[in-house]
Amino acid sequence: MKTLQVSLAERSYPIFIGEKLLADAELLRAHVPARQVLLISNTTVAPLYAQLLKKAFAGCELVEAIIPDGEQHKNIATASRVWDVLVANRFSRDAMIVALGGGVVGDLAGFAAACYQRGIDFVQIPTTLLADVDSSVGGKTAVNHPGGKNLVGSFHQPRAVIIDVSLLVSLPEREYRAGLAEVIKYGLICDAEFFSWLEASMPRLLAREASALIEAIHRSCALKAGIVSRDERETGERALLNFGHTFGHAIEAVTGYTEWLHGEAVGTGMLIAASLSHRLGMLSDADLKRIGAVLAAAGLDRQPPQCGAARALEYMRVDKKVKSGRVRLILLEQIGRAIISADYADAALDATLLQYFG
Ligand code: NAD
Ligand code: GLY
């Protein structure tokens, strides 16, 4: 088992990464020391893994809130049902929530924890690769609003993140590859050596080899933990984690959030961002080729919808990253070095959008 720390003074917390951690009752009990525990999971994950957790908590008051599966249920109505369960069972301020699931469950459970009695503790047990390396770490919690994704939320850090790579065996292939996009992102924005490791290790990762997964998740979480420790509230550096997301957001929005998984859109979005960086004269030919090759090896080289450049730009503009009317983009100077920029040539952006969106 590997261990990391997210350093945030009194809100610091550990991340554990290993195999069969759900069977480790001692670890689970040590990091969920409450008498009353609410387990939040969904209708897909709970039948697979909730039993293991329940075993570890034998003797505590453990109540379950099993939510329907799907992004469309990450809303205030579902959160409200979770609060109903907490109230009905008279859970007090020292109760804890355990989130067992992907990013949807984790974001919703974190949000429910942030609000119940003005904030109770929660622990993340992520079950998708995307949640392992991104959503479970960093304390962003939210639900969606009809007006937009993640519009209502709060920063609320978990007390611990317990990442059991054994749970990834049941993850559908598309979901798994979508999670790889976020792993690749870390190499691209801040760690060239990690990117080289990913180039060499892609076959082992695609085969879901536990040792390769533990290494990739450990390195990704270490990079995210460092960024979050330095910029918890995204006033600067944390925005680099949105690399590829503004273009990805346009892809998801144009296709009505149904055809593309978020990570798939981020994968193609990163290629578009790299291509723009190259067009702007920042990124070398060689780096652009390497980026394209890794994304293709991970099966993340889908062609964007041919909706037209103007429509794609429209959707990019409603993304949260717009400041003073100008879309701020994360661009690459080289593999392992990203910058945030609102100062790029519009003609280069237009030409790149034309190239990818028609
Ligand atoms: P998800 O939670 O919808 O999970 C994907 C699918 O896989 C679901 O059908 C789920 O039931 C299933 N699943 C989960 N674990 C499984 C397992 N081990 N075996 C079999 N099936 C399993 O999607 P996701 O990609 O994990 O998360 C996406 C969400 O995360 C979005 O709502 C996004 O906004 C959010 N997110 C949040 C942050 C953050 O910092 N808080 C960062 C990135 C994404
Ligand atoms: N997923 C982006 C962030 O946590 O900031």
Side-chain angles (χ1 to χ4, degrees):
M1 180 170 76
K2 293 195 181 224
T3 309
L4 285 166
Q5 184 80 357
V6 181
S7 301
L8 288 166
E10 74 288 352
R11 282 168 294 106
S12 298
Y13 54 94
I15 304 173
F16 301 98
I17 307 150
E19 282 184 273
K20 302 205 173 13
L21 300 190
L22 267 200
D24 188 342
E26 209 176 302
L27 175 80
L28 293 166
R29 292 296 287 262
H31 294 280
V32 188
R35 187 178 51 82
Q36 297 172 307
V37 177
L38 180 73
L39 167 63
I40 304 184
S41 192
N42 75 14
T43 45
T44 303
V45 177
L48 295 170
Y49 302 116
Q51 200 52 41
L52 264 174
L53 259 188
K54 283 197 256 177
K55 239 177 161 179
F57 289 100
C60 294
E61 186 183 344
L62 185 131
V63 175
E64 285 174 84
I66 307 303
I67 66 175
D69 191 356
E71 182 72 38
Q72 71 275 26
H73 300 290
K74 193 177 113 176
N75 56 31
I76 199 78
T78 310
S80 196
R81 283 201 288 279
V82 168
W83 294 320
D84 291 345
V85 176
L86 288 162
V87 173
N89 288 279
R90 298 176 190 282
F91 270 38
S92 57
R93 280 223 71 230
D94 53 9
M96 285 181 79
I97 287 179
V98 173
L100 175 70
V104 168
V105 165
D107 277 16
L108 184 123
F111 177 70
C115 299
Y116 184 66
Q117 299 205 13
R118 300 193 185 86
I120 64 169
D121 287 343
F122 82 116
V123 165
Q124 290 271 18
I125 305 186
T127 65
T128 64
L129 182 55
L130 180 136
D132 287 346
V133 298
D134 193 359
S135 61
S136 68
V137 175
K140 280 188 180 176
T141 77
V143 292
N144 300 326
H145 181 274
K149 272 188 77 176
N150 297 325
L151 279 188
V152 181
S154 163
F155 283 95
H156 186 56
Q157 300 291 342
R159 300 302 299 181
V161 182
I162 298 173
I163 303 175
D164 182 345
V165 299
S166 322
L167 311 186
L168 295 176
V169 290
S170 51
L171 193 66
E173 186 65 16
R174 263 185 82 189
E175 297 286 354
Y176 182 77
R177 287 177 187 250
L180 279 177
E182 302 286 0
V183 175
I184 294 167
K185 177 186 80 180
Y186 291 107
L188 288 176
I189 61 171
C190 55
D191 191 339
E193 203 274 314
F194 181 40
F195 186 84
S196 302
W197 181 86
L198 288 170
E199 288 177 310
S201 309
M202 196 51 76
R204 291 172 60 216
L205 283 172
L206 289 172
R208 306 191 198 189
E209 248 181 52
S211 59
L213 268 171
I214 291 171
E215 179 71 15
I217 294 169
H218 179 252
R219 293 177 80 155
S220 300
C221 287
L223 292 165
K224 179 152 185 182
I227 291 173
V228 168
S229 299
R230 293 186 294 272
D231 179 23
E232 183 185 13
R233 297 274 169 150
E234 200 173 311
T235 54
E237 183 188 3
R238 187 164 179 173
L240 295 177
L241 295 173
N242 298 322
F243 178 61
H245 285 56
T246 304
F247 295 105
H249 173 81
I251 294 174
E252 287 182 278
V254 159
T255 50
Y257 294 95
T258 50
E259 286 169 42
W260 288 62
L261 297 178
H262 173 71
E264 291 174 326
V266 167
T268 294
M270 292 194 296
L271 184 62
I272 301 174
S275 178
L276 172 59
S277 309
H278 176 257
R279 197 183 285 273
L280 288 164
M282 293 166 54
L283 187 72
S284 70
D285 280 342
D287 275 3
L288 182 62
K289 279 202 186 91
R290 285 175 68 194
I291 294 167
V294 160
L295 290 170
L300 292 164
D301 55 347
R302 234 177 122 177
Q303 210 209 6
Q306 297 303 288
C307 59
R311 193 141 168 255
L313 187 59
E314 229 173 80
Y315 279 112
M316 287 169 65
R317 285 192 176 286
V318 294
D319 197 38
K320 289 199 284 298
K321 286 105 205 164
V322 174
K323 235 189 186 172
S324 315
R326 195 152 169 86
V327 181
R328 286 186 314 153
L329 293 171
I330 318 299
L331 300 170
L332 284 186
E333 292 182 330
Q334 61 183 55
I335 289 173
R337 201 161 75 218
I339 56 158
I340 305 165
S341 171
D343 182 27
Y344 46 83
D346 284 337
L349 175 60
D350 292 344
T352 305
L353 291 176
L354 190 68
Q355 177 188 344
Y356 284 95
F357 292 94

